[in-house]
Amino acid sequence: MTNVAVVGSQWGDEGKGKVVDWLSERADMVVRFQGGHNAGHTLVVDGMTYKLSLLPSGVVRGKPSIIGNGVVIDPWALFAEIERLSAQGVSITPEVLRVAENAVLILPLHGNLDRAREAAAGEARIGTTGRGIGPAYEDKVARRAIRVCDLADADVLRFKVDRLLTHHNALLRGLGEPELEPESLMAALLEIAPRLLPFAGPVWRDLEAARRAGRKILFEGAQGALLDVDHGTYPYVTSSNTVAPNAATGCGVGPGAVGYVLGITKAYTTRVGAGPFPTELTDEVGRLLGERGHEFGTVTGRPRRCGWFDAVLVRQSIQVGGIRGIALTKLDVLDGLETLKVCVGYTLNGVLLDYLPASMKAQAAVTPVYESLPGWQESTRGARSWADLPAAAVKYIRRLEELIGAPVALLSTSPEREDTILVQDPFLA
């Protein structure tokens, strides 16, 4: 058996929820290792739909679940999510959920600052969700953040609140926003502390014990590789490392413990918010993909931009993130299209490129080079074996494998968990 890390290979929204749930049933423990409540998974279990933003997907099945130190945690959003799931019959106790004591907290001031900066940026805005993720990570690397463990000591907490507000009030003055008083923030933190602290602990020890016992661990990533703060389309990215190597750092295990990396990959391409998108379609085909694929953000409800499959970007994600196999999703959205296009390269100032350059200006200027493939008129929805797929659909999948340099390990053919074609079980790879 091996542990498995699940990451998105595009700009997020690849359909990780179903695949993670499918894998979490086979896992012994599920771990979130980065991001915050700005990303969402939608799970459908026994006909019930669950929308998760911060909680690991394992909680729905009662599996031991961990929020790692690489995650930034809004405690109020966390308990709102717990209450929402409780109303659906999911019990989330400290025996099921553990939270890293060294994880950083997202405070109300972070969301306020996030939204104020986006508003001040105007046309230059990044397109954040406004939930304070970026400002919380900024405080973390600047060594002024408040962490979960700080809630246990009022004196330490007061010292850290004062230090934090020295910085944030200066920013608020610059943005023309009212300054914050430490008393109100202290009161809010001391009120939430007794609710959060029972879940907190040194989760790295739990993971080490699970590893030594031979338990199967599923590392669950948020967003996608193209939103990675280092390797994505910077600055139009999230504020954490979304690639699989961060699974180790983000929860406190060695890199050798991560094991198989599965890249969730949509059969076409979408992204939310601003930023470069070489294969974006603004025509009827793009609108059709959005309507068929129900392309609206799980957390924000924002419509997603849609375009053709970009093999260059997925191949880059595979190479940078160590992805060994992909789970291809939403193939059925392409049903009925006469011709499909796949980006196989770019041109930039007359030069052919086989990768996306790092420069923001270059990323905005590249022109995709397409290869056309025949579509299929038959339905692929609900297929559970290769024999159920049209020949043209199989040809499309095989060509994608060649272009990205990785095999399809799983093929998802509908939101229903049983509508999955398993080629290689990641836990057994």
Side-chain angles (χ1 to χ4, degrees):
M1 295 291 182
T2 185
N3 300 323
V4 176
V6 174
V7 294
S9 68
Q10 294 157 309
W11 278 292
D13 309 309
E14 299 95 348
K16 289 187 287 294
K18 171 192 165 174
V19 177
V20 167
D21 175 58
W22 192 90
L23 290 167
S24 69
E25 186 180 37
R26 292 154 175 78
D28 298 311
M29 181 178 284
V30 183
V31 185
R32 269 286 305 272
F33 63 85
Q34 52 80 216
H37 64 305
N38 56 337
H41 293 340
T42 300
L43 280 64
V44 180
V45 181
D46 298 328
M48 178 76 77
T49 298
Y50 303 93
K51 293 184 181 295
L52 306 180
S53 297
L54 189 56
L55 291 168
S57 298
V59 298
V60 173
R61 297 187 176 276
K63 296 291 180 76
S65 299
I66 286 175
I67 298 177
N69 56 273
V71 179
V72 284
I73 301 169
D74 181 326
W76 298 275
L78 173 63
F79 285 108
E81 190 172 332
I82 288 174
E83 290 166 7
R84 188 170 66 249
L85 287 182
S86 295
Q88 294 183 275
V90 179
S91 177
I92 301 172
T93 66
E95 287 69 42
V96 173
L97 177 68
R98 295 277 282 166
V99 176
E101 62 184 1
N102 54 337
V104 164
L105 296 179
I106 300 175
L107 309 175
L109 60 86
H110 290 129
N112 294 337
L113 177 61
D114 204 353
R115 293 185 290 273
R117 289 198 304 204
E118 282 285 89
E123 292 299 316
R125 61 186 179 274
I126 299 297
T128 76
T129 60
R131 283 164 166 74
I133 311 298
Y137 274 117
E138 289 174 35
D139 283 344
K140 177 180 180 176
V141 298
R143 296 163 294 181
R144 57 174 170 261
I146 294 172
R147 303 193 298 175
V148 173
C149 57
D150 298 329
L151 298 179
D153 189 314
D155 291 335
V156 170
L157 188 60
R158 181 61 192 238
F159 169 79
K160 290 203 167 186
V161 165
D162 287 342
R163 185 168 182 269
L164 183 71
L165 291 187
T166 298
H167 171 80
H168 277 273
N169 281 335
L171 285 178
L172 291 171
R173 285 195 298 272
L175 290 167
E177 298 288 330
E179 295 183 35
L180 301 170
E181 294 296 328
E183 286 75 16
S184 60
L185 181 55
M186 279 291 297
L189 290 171
L190 290 174
E191 182 183 16
I192 201 74
R195 297 184 68 189
L196 183 58
L197 287 173
F199 293 90
V203 301
W204 60 270
R205 294 185 67 199
D206 301 333
L207 288 164
E208 175 63 10
R211 189 188 68 80
R212 287 182 176 274
R215 304 182 74 190
K216 299 188 294 292
I217 303 170
L218 179 64
F219 299 95
E220 177 185 350
Q223 292 112 358
L226 300 178
L227 292 174
D228 186 277
V229 69
D230 285 302
H231 302 290
T233 48
Y234 190 90
Y236 301 99
V237 293
T238 193
S239 299
S240 62
N241 287 112
T242 60
V243 292
N246 193 38
T249 306
C251 61
V253 299
V258 174
Y260 187 99
V261 180
L262 180 70
I264 315 300
T265 307
K266 196 176 290 186
Y268 50 101
T269 310
T270 63
R271 88 169 294 174
V272 171
F277 187 170
T279 65
E280 183 174 10
L281 295 169
T282 56
D283 59 6
E284 185 59 34
V285 175
R287 288 190 291 275
L288 180 66
L289 294 176
E291 291 169 3
R292 284 188 180 178
H294 306 289
E295 297 296 352
F296 298 92
T298 299
V299 171
T300 63
R302 290 186 294 178
R304 298 170 186 145
R305 301 153 62 189
C306 298
W308 295 119
F309 188 89
D310 193 328
V312 180
L313 287 181
V314 174
R315 181 174 65 243
Q316 196 161 321
S317 296
I318 286 169
Q319 293 175 356
V320 168
I323 294 172
R324 287 175 55 186
I326 68 166
L328 190 67
T329 65
K330 292 199 169 185
L331 183 70
D332 58 297
V333 174
L334 303 179
D335 292 352
L337 294 177
E338 184 175 344
T339 302
L340 305 174
K341 292 184 179 181
V342 177
C343 177
V344 297
Y346 307 121
T347 58
L348 177 63
N349 300 323
V351 178
L352 183 64
L353 300 177
D354 62 356
Y355 70 99
L356 186 68
S359 161
M360 182 173 72
K361 185 175 180 180
Q363 289 178 351
V366 296
T367 300
V369 176
Y370 286 116
E371 178 179 306
S372 295
L373 294 168
W376 52 90
Q377 301 307 306
E378 306 93 326
S379 174
T380 61
R381 188 176 181 83
R384 297 185 180 181
S385 72
W386 289 106
D388 295 333
L389 296 173
V394 174
K395 181 179 179 181
Y396 180 75
I397 295 166
R398 294 307 185 206
R399 182 58 179 147
L400 296 189
E401 289 179 319
E402 292 174 356
L403 291 169
I404 65 177
V408 170
L410 288 92
L411 178 64
S412 172
T413 58
S414 92
E416 298 298 323
R417 66 184 311 278
E418 297 305 324
D419 292 338
T420 303
I421 300 173
L422 175 64
V423 182
Q424 181 182 52
D425 187 336
F427 283 116
L428 299 176

